[in-house]
Amino acid sequence: MPRRRRPPRPGALADLSPLRILTQIIILQVLYYACAAVLILFTALVAGKDVSLDLLLSWRPLRGDVTVGWMLGLCWMMDSLICVIFLLLLVARSKLVPDFALTIHLLHLLATSLYSRGLPAHAFWWALQLASAALMTWLGVWSCRWRELRPISFGGGAARRAGEVEGPAGEDGERAAGGGDGEEDRDEEEGAGYGRGRWKAKGKGRSADGMGAYEMVGMGERA
């Protein structure tokens, strides 16, 4: 008898689909370069530097002995910080974050090498890439785990809030209903007290059980 295979976990095939992974990599890479381009363009215009594609794709301007190199390094670190948000929204799984973060930087190395026609020769560039990858990985894993460990609400909070809102109204209704009953009880007690007071005021004798006085009134007096 052939061994039966275990059914796949719900969503496992969709999460590990090659087409989906490739789409996520392309989107993350495009967003990575788009954010870097905006940051580098803004910084270059403010600093009064010439804007060119070399600032984005070449490794030669990234040097530790010039101001432009440190300026570009700061832009790339800010870019990695922003891309953590994209990892949280698109990947959302802490186990996959390191793979995507390292893939982004490996593709950046490939693009830089092809554009510059050679591997990066500056130690500052390599140190920047290591720091950027470490920052993106650590913050991405932390943010995804924070999202995964958040308590799941199944509507109990809404029901609790509705109960709190209905509670005072129900208590007021009960008080109103109880108030009506109390008024009737007070009317009965006042009527009984009035009757006993009348008996005591006009009484010339007591009943057999000794509970109150009474008076025999004729029909003429009552009329």
Side-chain angles (χ1 to χ4, degrees):
M1 181 178 180
R3 186 176 181 180
R4 303 179 62 180
R5 295 182 179 180
R6 297 179 59 184
R9 180 178 58 85
L13 295 179
D15 293 341
L16 300 178
S17 174
L19 180 60
R20 180 175 180 179
I21 293 176
L22 181 61
T23 304
Q24 290 175 340
I25 291 175
I26 295 175
I27 294 175
L28 289 173
Q29 198 71 30
V30 171
L31 292 174
Y32 178 73
Y33 280 123
C35 293
V38 172
L39 292 173
I40 292 174
L41 177 63
F42 175 77
T43 307
L45 292 177
V46 171
K49 303 294 182 180
D50 295 334
V51 179
S52 63
L53 196 59
D54 292 346
L55 298 177
L56 180 66
L57 295 178
S58 178
W59 52 264
R60 291 183 174 88
L62 282 168
R63 298 167 52 184
D65 56 346
V66 293
T67 307
V68 177
W70 287 98
M71 180 187 69
L72 293 176
L74 180 61
C75 292
W76 284 110
M77 291 300 294
M78 292 181 63
D79 185 28
S80 298
L81 186 63
I82 296 174
C83 286
V84 172
I85 302 176
F86 302 141
L87 288 174
L88 178 63
L89 297 177
L90 296 177
V91 180
R93 294 183 62 180
S94 59
K95 294 182 179 180
L96 299 179
V97 168
D99 298 334
F100 281 92
L102 295 178
T103 302
I104 290 174
H105 288 83
L106 288 177
L107 291 177
H108 178 58
L109 171 62
L110 180 61
T112 302
S113 301
L114 292 177
Y115 180 83
S116 302
R117 297 180 180 180
L119 291 175
H122 295 163
F124 185 79
W125 189 93
W126 290 102
L128 177 64
Q129 298 306 311
L130 291 176
S132 176
L135 177 64
M136 187 184 297
T137 302
W138 182 75
L139 286 180
V141 171
W142 179 84
S143 59
C144 290
R145 285 182 178 177
W146 173 80
R147 185 176 181 179
E148 292 171 353
L149 296 178
R150 290 181 62 186
I152 301 176
S153 177
F154 294 97
R160 190 182 305 108
R161 287 192 297 270
E164 292 177 357
V165 173
E166 294 177 357
E171 293 178 358
D172 295 339
E174 293 179 357
R175 288 172 184 164
D181 297 339
E183 291 178 358
E184 295 178 358
D185 296 339
R186 284 195 297 272
D187 293 341
E188 292 179 359
E189 292 177 357
E190 291 177 359
Y194 175 75
R196 288 195 295 270
R198 184 179 179 184
W199 292 341
K200 291 181 180 179
K202 294 185 178 182
K204 295 184 180 179
R206 290 186 173 276
S207 61
D209 53 2
M211 293 300 295
Y214 65 93
E215 178 185 4
M216 299 297 294
V217 181
M219 295 298 293
E221 294 180 2
R222 182 175 298 180

